Amino acid sequence: MTDDACLFLLDDPSAPLGVAPAAVGDLACMETPAVRAWLDAQGSTPVSPHLRLLPPEETAAIPEGAERLPVPLGDEELSRVRHLNAPQSLARVEEELLAFRDYADGRDGLIARALAAGVAPHRIVELTGVDPATVTAATSG
């Protein structure tokens, strides 16, 4: 596993793999000479329906032989990619976890629902800012 996200090209733009970079919004990496040169070499553009982006932990899902380029993302950019890449049910729970930062009522129930929905404990910590021990306690309780 690499620490970089990965841009890649899919033969079938209807395949539900990755996120279209244009859907994520402004990404600093898209303006770099390396990405521009790679896109030019592939005969592609930043808005191509074939161009996709995956967070570092998902890059193993890229089909063998697909053209790819590792790209660094900032924390906020990576959070947006992960959110858009998540299945809808996971995305809804993640939105609740983000809103959780504003209030603590129902914290334990929300953490339990997030865990039951399949949100990883480290992601709950990242989204909510709660102490990892709190999430660990919820996983064993």
Side-chain angles (χ1 to χ4, degrees):
M1 184 171 84
T2 177
D3 288 338
D4 288 336
C6 208
L7 280 173
F8 63 101
L9 293 172
L10 278 178
D11 290 335
D12 179 5
S14 68
L17 179 62
V19 175
V24 179
D26 290 334
L27 295 169
C29 68
M30 297 303 288
E31 300 303 320
T32 64
V35 170
R36 293 279 185 200
W38 182 78
L39 287 170
D40 286 345
Q42 304 309 318
S44 189
T45 68
V47 295
S48 168
H50 296 274
L51 185 63
R52 301 295 172 83
L53 181 64
L54 277 174
E57 64 275 7
E58 300 291 330
T59 58
I62 299 172
E64 182 138 348
E67 294 295 335
R68 63 182 78 203
L69 178 71
V71 292
L73 297 179
D75 290 341
E76 173 60 31
E77 293 172 329
L78 188 54
S79 181
R80 288 183 295 178
V81 169
R82 284 178 174 144
H83 180 73
L84 289 170
N85 191 56
Q88 281 306 105
S89 62
L90 223 81
R92 279 193 299 278
V93 173
E94 284 191 355
E95 285 175 8
E96 288 183 52
L97 287 168
L98 283 169
F100 168 78
R101 290 180 180 185
D102 295 333
Y103 55 90
D105 283 345
R107 177 191 75 186
D108 293 341
L110 178 57
I111 290 172
R113 281 198 343 257
L115 290 167
V119 179
H122 75 275
R123 185 73 173 134
I124 294 171
V125 169
E126 184 179 294
L127 292 168
T128 64
V130 298
D131 186 89
T134 302
V135 177
T136 304
T139 63
S140 61

